[in-house]
């Protein structure tokens, strides 16, 4: 209703009554403003209409009152039959047009329960949403919880669409547009698109969060009710009654302890209890997620998909969290490759945190079964630490964890306060209770078997059942296995029962009873009527197949085993036909085989338990056989461009997953991933020109390509590194070169595996063994090959990820990890072996200038220009403490040798000592007259050395804070200081371009090391104290002899200032950080220089051809790629990325700050891998 309408036609508009009524009612309710939706929106303005429709739900949601003026409902007459029962307005209310209009649905649902008030034509109040709840429910079909304010996201899409099904709108598209708020979506208005198309767009937008979940790599078999677990049992009725009730009381009550740890020995029924609890809360719609670990179960045998699986399930089971998880996936594109800490933080913890304060939310239960079967002890402890953070959530989250009482788990729980977890030891339950439960289970199962095979109503009798209970010795797995074995005997069930009863005594230990039942099952497959040769064949098949099944790192199907072992399918099927009591053998031979219980693996591999040598599996020999089978399979299956992509720049992200799965079937992927692990477990001694050496010489690139397509490049690098331990001359040379090759091109293998045959070979050193072996693979369309270095440089890896200058780097004490701090305000953790990014620690809000590991490598300290020192957990990435006290930027931090104290230096001219446990300030050391740039503890922790912009180095007493000495000699700012490992010397670097060595006792200057051409930014001693490393603004890293001061090596490769350097704990590697945004690893022994084109005396600032003006360039360089048209054809390694370039026709010239010029020439035509 526009202003002109109001002034010219007001008397003819019944709507005026609505406006007048709303004004009067708002005044009565003490409100200053009111608005009427149909009057306050200028529908002639498309932008205003778009904003209004997308905001309408929120407007109603935030309204103090929502008046529903029903002009078609009158209160004038009483119902004649009974003046006290109801008014005549109720029938009019039920048939009011207001309930048939599309736009009024959000007016009804968005406001609070008491905010929506209904009024008659006369302005009489009829009631509100609370008092008229039942009538509104009957009129609209809307669920009462939705009317009461339960988040609409808790109702499925079909339900919400049904609420609007019988509502009408003037414009047909509005029937879809009026639902924007109901589904919390926003899309552009396109009037004229018609109703069907509008709904199609609406549903597409609604499905977006679910589609983003498809990007998460979750473990399909993790949930308790996954397809492969559909036959797994829950607790039998009337068993485990007290224990289950205790768990339910904990989960449903107000217990402060967020974790319930159910631990017990193998076979005591932990998983069955976990499934029972999961089923209860799933049926109540309160199960957030479940993850059932299984050793050798592929994705459920490790923690790689643990939190992504949790997030996927939470999004489906708790609808109101779905959008938050979807947003996290969108914000963190590579979340599936990030650390466990980052996955927990972004995918689970933060989305759950955003639900805080919602009174309509009930508690949710997470279930983790068999945590001890996770393959990495560090990951187990990390999972426990992260899950314990659930206590800080305001919504009630309960975590049930089951496991054996293994050391890593016991240790992990020791780190969690007793007030925050509840422990229950399953095998300590009173024996009589356990025996009763087992008897109840056996009684039911045996009666079922007796009825199935007509064994009589009383079979097998109470005495037999009691004996079976004794034989079970408290192990439910014994009872379950015995029942399966007897049932599979069919007409011989009674005979098999006798086998279970014979030779058993109550004095045997529980484990021995389990051994006996497994032995009985295995022996039953060797029939007496077999000939001796047939028995021998049977034994061999059983050993090979069972040995493979129990040793697989990931389960395989019968079809896959047939191709892996080169054993006929019918032979495997025949060998396993009578073993259903110990193996889950699907009818579909394409589905994986699984053990019913991990105790069978323990039995089969233990010679003391499996005493029949016909069945005992020699673990080493079985691994040797598996390794050979894997190599044979890969040799036959792997080839160049195995997925048939052809285009050399094809990204893994763009390849169809179905094609990758087809070209790399499960058994081939298994072989690629695990052949080296089987080889190591076999204890095989490698030799020159053996099977392994020959395989690598033919198929190394094919293998790395396959790993790239399945996202397992880092695993391949670790596998190659483990082979490097073998010192056979020819094999060692090739494996060492293969490792350097894989490390150098790791990034591109992960992104575009076919670049192995292009960029990786093209830029490998001329003398590289891998390049020499596979040079024929370089595509013919590369005509002009670049001039590359002769040998591998000292740079082992370039770690990319920071978005600004890297200012500080350090190794962990075990040399396995690297920490870096950057001007991008983050601290990053890296795997020193593979170069993979492990974690990003966020919390500082300005430059991170210094980082260090604690002596036990469990904590990280960082200093920042935000004036704080922060402590982090190195395993989980969790922020532990923020130490505040400095009044200016913190430039340097370090741990004391015992890890109990932290020292920091700051631009506020002070050095501070902190208690690492409490964060309390212990000492403030004052004396420097300008910024403190660097600090370090002496090896015995008794002294502190500091360097400053006042050009001095100072020594302090760490206990008293007293100044001991002032070392003078530098002529410009001191940037870095360090003690020698024996504490007798100090090294300092300065902006005067020198490195100086000092006597720590006397303060005397020992050496001045000159050679850098610009500021020295960082210095460090080697672990043996014999060498000094320095980094400089001249872009180089230099190695010096600490005794003589002689320059040993100059390591070149960075493109900008080197800001930080450090030795690895073994002294064999050096790590450096630079303003070129990279972290580099160097071989401290070789220090080979990069190849350069000589002639320039300064940076190459420009290069160009003389064009003839006729041809337009068809090539370009974009980011890290040479691109032809829209296709990436050649990836440029970090060392070959240009600062300037020139392109003409099929030639590319790249110029570098180092003075090097790179020439590339390509043949015209399609660039394919053939």
């Amino acid at each position: 209703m526009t202003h002109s309408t109001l002034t010219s036609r007001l008397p003819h508009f019944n709507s005026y009554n609505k406006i007048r009524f709303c004004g009067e009612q708002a005044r009565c309710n003490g409100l200053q403003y009111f608005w009427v939706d149909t009057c306050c929106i200028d529908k002639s303005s498309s932008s205003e209409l778009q904003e209004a429709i997308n905001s309408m739900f929120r407007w109603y949601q935030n309204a103090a009152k929502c008046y529903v003026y029903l002009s078609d409902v009158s209160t004038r007459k009483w119902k004649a039959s009974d003046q006290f029962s109801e008014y005549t307005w109720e029938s009019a209310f039920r048939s009011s047009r207001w309930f048939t209009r599309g736009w009024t649905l959000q007016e009804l649902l968005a406001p609070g329960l008491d905010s929506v008030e209904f009024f008659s034509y006369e302005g009489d109040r009829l009631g509100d949403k609370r008092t008229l709840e039942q009538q509104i429910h009957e009129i609209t079909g809307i669920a009462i919880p939705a009317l009461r304010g339960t988040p609409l996201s808790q109702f499925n899409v079909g339900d919400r669409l049904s609420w609007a099904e019988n509502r009408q709108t003037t414009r047909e598209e509005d029937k879809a547009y009026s639902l924007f708020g109901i589904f919390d979506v926003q899309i552009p208005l396109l009037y004229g698109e018609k109703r069907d198309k509008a709904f199609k767009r609406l549903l597409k937008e609604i499905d977006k969060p679910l589609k983003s979940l498809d990007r998460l790599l979750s473990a399909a078999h993790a949930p308790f009710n996954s397809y492969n677990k559909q036959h797994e049992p829950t607790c039998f009725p009337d068993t485990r009654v007290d224990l289950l009730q205790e768990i339910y009381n904990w989960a449903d009550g107000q217990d402060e302890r967020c974790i319930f740890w159910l631990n017990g020995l193998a076979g005591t029924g932990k998983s069955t209890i976990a499934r029972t609890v999961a089923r209860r809360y799933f049926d109540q719609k309160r199960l957030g997620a479940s993850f059932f670990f299984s050793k050798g179960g592929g994705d459920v045998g490790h923690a790689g998909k643990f939190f992504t699986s949790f997030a996927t399930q939470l999004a489906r089971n708790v609808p109101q969290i779905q959008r938050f998880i979807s947003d996290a996936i969108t914000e963190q594109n590579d979340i599936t490759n990030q650390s466990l800490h980052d996955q927990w933080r972004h995918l689970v913890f933060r989305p759950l945190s955003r639900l805080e304060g919602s009174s309509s939310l009930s508690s949710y239960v997470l279930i983790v079964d068999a945590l001890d079967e996770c393959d990495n002890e560090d990951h187990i402890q990390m999972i426990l630490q992260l899950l314990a953070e659930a206590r800080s959530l305001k919504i009630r989250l309960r975590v049930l964890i089951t496991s054996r009482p293994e050391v890593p788990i016991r240790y992990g729980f020791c780190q969690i306060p007793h007030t925050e977890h509840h422990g229950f030891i399953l095998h300590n339950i009173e024996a009589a209770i356990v025996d009763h439960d087992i008897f109840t289970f056996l009684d039911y199962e045996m009666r079922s078997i007796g009825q199935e095979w007509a064994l009589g109503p009383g079979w097998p009798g109470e005495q037999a059942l009691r004996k079976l209970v004794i034989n079970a010795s408290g192990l439910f797995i014994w009872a379950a296995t015995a029942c399966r074995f007897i049932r599979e005997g069919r007409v011989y069930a009674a005979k098999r029962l006798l086998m279970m009863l014979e030779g058993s005594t109550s004095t045997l230990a529980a484990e021995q009873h389990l051994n006996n039942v497994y032995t009985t099952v295995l022996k039953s497959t060797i029939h007496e009527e077999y000939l001796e040769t047939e028995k021998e064949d049977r034994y061999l098949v059983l050993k090979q197949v069972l040995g493979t099944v129990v040793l697989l790192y990931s389960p395989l199907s019968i079809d896959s085993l047939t191709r892996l072992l080169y054993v006929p399918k019918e032979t495997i099927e025949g060998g396993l036909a009578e073993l259903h009591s110990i193996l889950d053998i699907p009818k579909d031979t394409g589905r994986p085989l699984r053990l019913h219980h991990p105790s069978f693996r323990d039995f089969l591999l233990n010679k003391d338990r499996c005493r029949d040598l016909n069945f005992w599996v020699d673990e080493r020999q079985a691994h040797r056989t598996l390794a050979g089978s894997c190599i044979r399979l890969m040799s036959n299956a792997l080839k160049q461009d195995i997925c048939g992509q052809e285009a050399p720049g094809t990204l893994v992200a763009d390849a169809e997953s179905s094609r990758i799965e087809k070209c790399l079937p499960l058994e081939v992927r298994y072989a690629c991933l695990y052949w080296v692990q089987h080889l190591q477990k076999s204890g095989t001694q490698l030799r020159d020109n053996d099977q392994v050496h020959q395989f690598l010489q033919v198929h190394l690139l094919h293998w790395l390509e396959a790993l790239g397509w399945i996202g397992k490049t880092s695993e391949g690098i670790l596998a190659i590194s483990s082979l490097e331990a073998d010192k056979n001359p020819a094999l060692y040379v090739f494996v060492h070169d293969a490792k350097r090759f894989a490390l150098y091109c790791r990034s591109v293998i992960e992104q575009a595996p076919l670049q192995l045959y292009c960029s990786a070979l093209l830029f490998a050193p001329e003398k590289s063994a891998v390049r020499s072996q596979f040079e024929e693979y370089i595509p013919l369309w590369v005509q002009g090959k670049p001039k590359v270095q002769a040998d591998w440089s000292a740079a082992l890896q370039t770690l990319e990820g920071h978005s600004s200058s890297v200012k500080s780097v350090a190794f962990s004490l075990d040399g396995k990890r690297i920490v870096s701090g950057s001007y991008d305000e983050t601290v990053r953790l890296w795997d020193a072996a593979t170069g993979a990014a492990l974690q990003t620690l966020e919390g500082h809000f300005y430059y991170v200038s210094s980082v260090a590991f604690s002596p036990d490598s469990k904590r990280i300290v960082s200093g920042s220009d935000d004036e704080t020192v922060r402590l982090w957990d190195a395993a989980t990435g969790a922020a532990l403490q923020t130490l505040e006290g400095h009044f200016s930027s913190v430039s340097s931090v370090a741990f004391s040798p015992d890890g109990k104290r932290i020292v920091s230096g700051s631009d506020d001219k002070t050095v501070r000592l902190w208690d690492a446990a409490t964060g309390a300030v212990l000492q403030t050391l004052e004396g420097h007259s300008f910024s403190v740039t660097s600090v370090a503890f002496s090896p015995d922790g008794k002294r502190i050395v500091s360097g400053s912009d006042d050009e001095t180095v100072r020594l302090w007493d760490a206990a008293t804070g007293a100044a001991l000495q002032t070392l003078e000699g530098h002529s410009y700012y001191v940037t870095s200081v360090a003690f020698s490992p024996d504490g007798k010397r100090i090294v300092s670097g300065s902006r005067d371009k020198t490195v100086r060595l000092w006597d720590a006792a006397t303060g005397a200057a020992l050496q001045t090391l000159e050679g850098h051409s610009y500021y020295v930014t960082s210095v460090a001693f080697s672990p043996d104290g014999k060498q000094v490393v320095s980094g400089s603004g001249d872009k180089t890293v230099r190695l010096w002899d600490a005794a003589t001061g002689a320059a040993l090596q100059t390591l070149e490769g960075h493109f900008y200032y080197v800001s930080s350097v450090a030795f690895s704990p073994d002294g064999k590697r050096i790590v450096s950080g630079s303003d070129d945004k990279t972290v580099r690893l160097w071989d401290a022994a070789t220090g080979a220089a990069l190849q350069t084109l000589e002639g320039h005396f300064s940076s190459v600032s420009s290069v160009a051809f003389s064009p003839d003006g006729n041809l337009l360039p068809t090539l370009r360089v974009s980011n890290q790629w040479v691109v032809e048209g829209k296709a990436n054809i050649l990836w440029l390694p970090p060392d070959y990325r240009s600062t300037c370039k020139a392109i003409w026709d099929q030639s590319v010239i790249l110029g570098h700050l180092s003075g090097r010029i790179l020439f590339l020439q390509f043949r015209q035509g399609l660039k394919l891998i053939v």
Side-chain angles (χ1 to χ4, degrees), residues 88-151:
T88 53
W89 60 259
E90 184 165 342
S91 60
F93 180 78
R94 288 179 177 273
S95 59
S96 174
R97 291 188 302 275
W98 191 84
F99 292 111
T100 67
R101 292 171 180 160
W103 288 106
T104 59
L105 178 60
Q106 60 184 351
E107 298 172 28
L108 177 62
L109 293 175
L113 193 57
D114 299 317
S115 298
V116 182
E117 297 182 352
F118 294 87
F119 294 86
S120 70
Y121 172 78
E122 294 83 8
D124 296 325
R125 188 178 187 277
L126 305 177
D128 56 32
K129 193 161 61 169
R130 184 193 301 274
T131 60
L132 296 171
E133 179 183 273
Q134 188 60 37
Q135 292 94 324
I136 296 171
H137 165 64
E138 292 170 3
I139 295 167
T140 63
I142 298 172
I144 287 177
L147 295 173
R148 291 179 178 175
T150 296

Side-chain angles (χ1 to χ4, degrees), residues 25-173:
Q25 192 63 39
R27 185 177 67 247
C28 290
N29 288 132
L31 303 176
Q32 288 183 289
Y33 306 98
F34 74 95
W35 57 273
V36 180
D37 51 7
T38 54
C39 303
C40 298
I41 302 168
D42 183 358
K43 295 181 180 178
S44 65
S45 168
S46 59
S47 60
E48 183 173 330
L49 184 61
Q50 174 84 47
E51 181 184 1
I53 289 178
N54 278 317
S55 306
M56 190 76 70
F57 190 89
R58 188 179 73 255
W59 291 346
Y60 279 110
Q61 203 169 37
N62 296 333
K65 289 289 182 181
C66 178
Y67 306 132
V68 179
Y69 179 75
L70 303 176
S71 60
D72 56 355
V73 178
S74 174
T75 55
R76 287 292 169 90
K77 296 180 181 179
W78 292 85
K79 184 175 180 181
S81 60
D82 187 351
Q83 63 178 350
F84 296 106
S85 61
E86 63 176 25
Y87 292 106
T88 53
W89 60 259
E90 184 165 342
S91 60
F93 180 78
R94 288 179 177 273
S95 59
S96 174
R97 291 188 302 275
W98 191 84
F99 292 111
T100 67
R101 292 171 180 160
W103 288 106
T104 59
L105 178 60
Q106 60 184 351
E107 298 172 28
L108 177 62
L109 293 175
L113 193 57
D114 299 317
S115 298
V116 182
E117 297 182 352
F118 294 87
F119 294 86
S120 70
Y121 172 78
E122 294 83 8
D124 296 325
R125 188 178 187 277
L126 305 177
D128 56 32
K129 193 161 61 169
R130 184 193 301 274
T131 60
L132 296 171
E133 179 183 273
Q134 188 60 37
Q135 292 94 324
I136 296 171
H137 165 64
E138 292 170 3
I139 295 167
T140 63
I142 298 172
I144 287 177
L147 295 173
R148 291 179 178 175
T150 296
L152 298 182
S153 58
Q154 288 198 18
F155 300 91
N156 64 46
V157 173
D159 285 343
R160 283 180 276 174
L161 287 174
S162 71
W163 301 339
E165 192 172 0
N166 297 318
R167 293 172 178 264
Q168 304 301 321
T169 55
T170 303
R171 305 188 71 168
E172 60 180 305
E173 296 89 353

Side-chain angles (χ1 to χ4, degrees), residues 50 378 416 504 587 818 1133 1150 1159:
Q50 174 84 47
D378 291 336
I416 303 172
S504 296
K587 290 182 180 179
I818 292 167
L1150 306 175
F1159 292 84

